[in-house]
Amino acid sequence: VRNSGSRPCFLHVVEQRDFIPLEANNNHNNRSSLGRGSAGGQVCSRVSGVSGHPNKRKRDNKASTYGFNSSLETGGCGYTGTPWKVKNYSEGILGLHEEINDFYKHMSPRAEEERMRMEVVDRIERVIKDLWPTADVQVFGSFSTGLYLPTSDIDLVVFGNWENLPLWTLEEALRKKNVTDENSIKVLDKATVPIIKLTDFRTEVKVDISFNVKNGVKAALLIKDYKKKYPVLPKLVLVLKQFLLQRDLNEVFTGGIGSYSLFLMAVSFLQLHYREDACSPNANVGVLLIEFFELYGRHFNYLKTGIRIKDGGSYVAKDEFQKNTDLYRPSMLFIEDPLAPDNDVGRSSYGVLQVKQAFDYAYVVLNHAVSPIAKYYPNNESESILGRIIRVTQEVAEYRDWITKLWGPQSQNEPALNGNDVTLLVKPQQLDECNNNLTEEVTASRSKSSSNSSSLVSSSSSTVSSSSDVVSFVTLVRTKTTI
């Protein structure tokens, strides 16, 4: 998998330096390469920490682009990190829209990745069933909804009857059965939701296991409903997940924004958008992405305002919410859980201001890249606009090649994929109705004409009305550009 451009890597850096630093993240350790060759394409050394200084410890996040820019400056191997770009796109915002569509197609789950992950689930389920034959194991999270990236975690929940959660019992059993090793598993028994975090020994897929938590399965069903309601959501969310993942800003455990919080932020963004046709299947995703970065990177008042998606969506004043609930103090990123109104989904995202800064910079970069003057940049046609803020590392590309080699189709008769390019290859008894991937329905485009109003204020009494507490969109590329 290579970028369509044929010129040396270092020219990319010399001619265009205005993309957001790809190595900006929280963790600058654990950067060594995976001992696995590519199943196709050219093989070269991957980024492992700062160029020229590989770290011997196993890399925790294969998608991290820390040190990526340094690798380009040294000449690299010809891999520029944009494998989805296989053609030249239109100019400006339309080109960004076209490129996001190609990114979505390229990064959406493949059938072989689904097969591999189901093997991991089956392997762990067998260990659990050996311990507790009546236990019920269910999948939730991004694997259930189809909104996962190649290196995303698998979320499992185990239902059973225990006086005390058997975290350490299961941890020991998983090690003894060689599902994982002692260096790749940890028990977070003091967390708000106690979990076991592990890395599968054979596939290097990360898995989070919780016990008796019902809201995870309900949340997966909620996400599927909103995917059907807003057809542009999967594309927007997948780009945003990659953006956070490669910067190590996606883990709640380290203060980042988790997948559920990110999804609710995207839903709120679409619910309160001043143009109703933003929710159309034909909406320009490039415009929406830039406006998302603008909203949460520049205009959203994190100090005073909270997010609510119930009843059509609104913003809530944190002070008013605190008076009406038992919540001691809303967090910096306050997102009301639609499944449990007293739960603040963003309470653990203590690094949200760092995420805000990254969003702000991405807004500046993309807005500049789609401006009329951008067509005068050197090699503008062959450059990737989206690649200025997100890249897919060589390690991830080779990891996907490796998966295809081992779990790829044995025949040409592959099952049909759903709208997210993925189908669950499971037995009916393995997952209940809440976990079955639903085929996305393409909703009809709304016929109502675009509104020029920039107000996001809901008529709800709980909506913030003060101008200091309410955000409004600053329309991007207003002239000659419509969604």
Side-chain angles (χ1 to χ4, degrees):
V1 182
R2 297 175 184 164
N3 186 273
S4 59
S6 59
R7 47 188 192 78
C9 288
F10 67 92
L11 289 180
H12 181 86
V13 178
V14 172
E15 293 170 359
Q16 291 191 338
R17 292 178 175 271
D18 60 348
F19 56 75
I20 189 169
L22 298 167
E23 63 248 22
N25 60 10
N26 290 333
N27 295 320
H28 293 174
N29 57 1
N30 303 331
R31 314 293 181 199
S32 67
S33 62
L34 191 68
R36 177 186 296 122
S38 174
Q42 88 190 88
V43 180
C44 61
S45 60
R46 284 154 292 192
V47 178
S48 54
V50 178
S51 181
H53 299 280
N55 191 313
K56 291 184 180 180
R57 294 178 61 187
K58 179 174 286 188
R59 182 185 176 94
D60 274 350
N61 180 6
K62 287 188 276 290
S64 172
T65 50
Y66 177 67
F68 198 102
N69 290 339
S70 300
S71 176
L72 292 179
E73 289 172 351
T74 59
C77 61
Y79 181 79
T80 55
T82 56
W84 65 86
K85 187 181 185 303
V86 294
K87 61 185 179 184
N88 292 332
Y89 301 106
S90 304
E91 291 181 358
I93 197 70
L94 181 58
L96 178 58
H97 168 76
E98 294 168 354
E99 191 172 350
I100 290 173
N101 284 332
D102 281 352
F103 171 85
Y104 177 72
K105 291 175 184 176
H106 179 80
M107 296 301 289
S108 288
R110 300 169 180 170
E112 54 266 33
E113 291 170 331
E114 194 83 10
R115 272 192 290 271
M116 179 193 74
R117 285 166 175 264
M118 280 313 306
E119 281 191 17
V120 175
V121 173
D122 289 343
R123 197 153 47 243
I124 293 175
E125 185 175 12
R126 284 196 296 270
V127 175
I128 294 172
K129 291 289 189 180
D130 285 345
L131 291 172
W132 309 288
T134 60
D136 180 26
V137 182
Q138 295 190 30
V139 182
F140 66 100
S142 62
F143 184 40
S144 173
T145 63
L147 292 176
Y148 65 92
L149 292 166
T151 60
S152 292
D153 299 349
I154 295 176
D155 296 298
L156 298 179
V157 58
V158 185
F159 294 101
N161 296 315
W162 302 281
E163 288 188 10
N164 298 305
L165 297 182
L167 295 160
W168 296 101
T169 302
L170 180 55
E171 184 265 352
E172 182 181 16
L174 290 168
R175 285 191 290 105
K176 287 184 176 180
K177 295 291 185 178
N178 295 319
V179 173
T180 187
D181 58 54
E182 61 182 357
N183 296 320
S184 302
I185 187 170
K186 52 187 173 183
V187 176
L188 306 181
D189 55 349
K190 305 299 182 184
T192 306
V193 178
I195 60 172
I196 299 173
K197 297 180 75 72
L198 65 93
T199 302
D200 180 67
F201 181 77
R202 182 183 178 192
T203 65
E204 296 190 5
V205 171
K206 292 179 171 55
V207 183
D208 290 350
I209 306 174
S210 57
F211 291 82
N212 292 337
V213 179
K214 296 180 180 179
N215 274 0
V217 177
K218 292 179 181 178
L221 194 59
L222 179 79
I223 289 172
K224 292 173 185 177
D225 288 340
Y226 277 110
K227 280 175 59 181
K228 290 188 290 183
K229 187 174 183 178
Y230 300 115
V232 296
L233 258 179
K235 296 177 183 178
L236 188 62
V237 168
L238 216 61
V239 171
L240 293 169
K241 288 185 72 169
Q242 177 67 29
F243 179 85
L244 294 178
L245 172 65
Q246 69 183 47
R247 291 170 174 82
D248 286 324
L249 294 173
N250 65 310
E251 280 281 357
V252 175
F253 182 64
T254 55
I257 296 180
S259 296
Y260 189 43
S261 294
L262 184 66
F263 186 86
L264 295 180
M265 290 170 71
V267 169
S268 174
F269 163 72
L270 292 175
Q271 284 178 326
L272 302 177
H273 203 287
Y274 61 93
R275 291 190 300 270
E276 290 192 14
D277 55 348
C279 304
S280 163
N282 301 318
N284 187 312
V285 193
V287 173
L288 293 175
L289 179 63
I290 294 176
E291 289 183 332
F292 180 95
F293 284 138
E294 180 190 26
L295 171 62
Y296 291 112
R298 295 204 152 193
H299 301 305
F300 187 81
N301 193 329
Y302 290 88
L303 291 174
K304 297 183 178 181
T305 310
I307 294 171
R308 170 180 290 159
I309 70 167
K310 282 174 51 180
D311 304 322
S314 63
Y315 292 117
V316 296
K318 288 185 179 180
D319 292 343
E320 290 299 320
F321 184 85
Q322 187 173 346
K323 290 177 184 177
N324 299 327
T325 65
D326 295 331
L327 192 66
Y328 173 65
R329 184 182 64 181
S331 62
M332 179 65 76
L333 176 63
F334 174 70
I335 305 174
E336 183 185 84
D337 190 345
L339 300 174
D342 290 336
N343 180 38
D344 178 6
V345 177
R347 67 186 179 278
S348 299
S349 298
Y350 57 82
V352 67
L353 293 185
Q354 186 176 359
V355 176
K356 176 184 182 295
Q357 184 180 26
F359 284 168
D360 183 23
Y361 200 22
Y363 161 71
V364 173
V365 169
L366 290 183
N367 199 27
H368 181 63
V370 300
S371 66
I373 198 175
K375 65 183 179 182
Y376 299 110
Y377 294 164
N379 299 299
N380 176 63
E381 291 185 356
S382 62
E383 294 298 339
S384 166
I385 295 177
L386 188 61
R388 299 186 186 198
I389 63 164
I390 59 175
R391 300 290 177 89
V392 176
T393 63
Q394 178 79 7
E395 190 168 359
V396 169
E398 293 180 1
Y399 180 57
R400 300 191 88 187
D401 287 342
W402 177 77
I403 294 172
T404 299
K405 184 177 180 180
L406 294 185
W407 283 272
Q410 302 300 315
S411 69
Q412 298 300 316
N413 298 320
E414 280 295 298
L417 300 178
N418 68 10
N420 207 39
D421 288 351
V422 64
T423 180
L424 277 178
L425 305 175
V426 298
K427 299 176 182 178
Q429 62 268 30
Q430 288 177 306
L431 297 176
D432 67 4
E433 183 179 358
C434 290
N435 293 320
N436 289 334
N437 273 350
L438 303 178
T439 301
E440 288 192 59
E441 299 175 0
V442 180
T443 59
S445 176
R446 302 183 184 181
S447 59
K448 187 173 181 178
S449 59
S450 300
S451 169
N452 291 323
S453 169
S454 61
S455 173
L456 294 178
V457 185
S458 170
S459 59
S460 170
S461 60
S462 61
T463 302
V464 186
S465 58
S466 171
S467 61
S468 64
D469 297 345
V470 182
V471 299
S472 62
F473 293 104
V474 176
T475 309
L476 308 179
V477 200
R478 288 183 185 272
T479 59
K480 299 181 182 179
T481 305
T482 58
I483 274 194

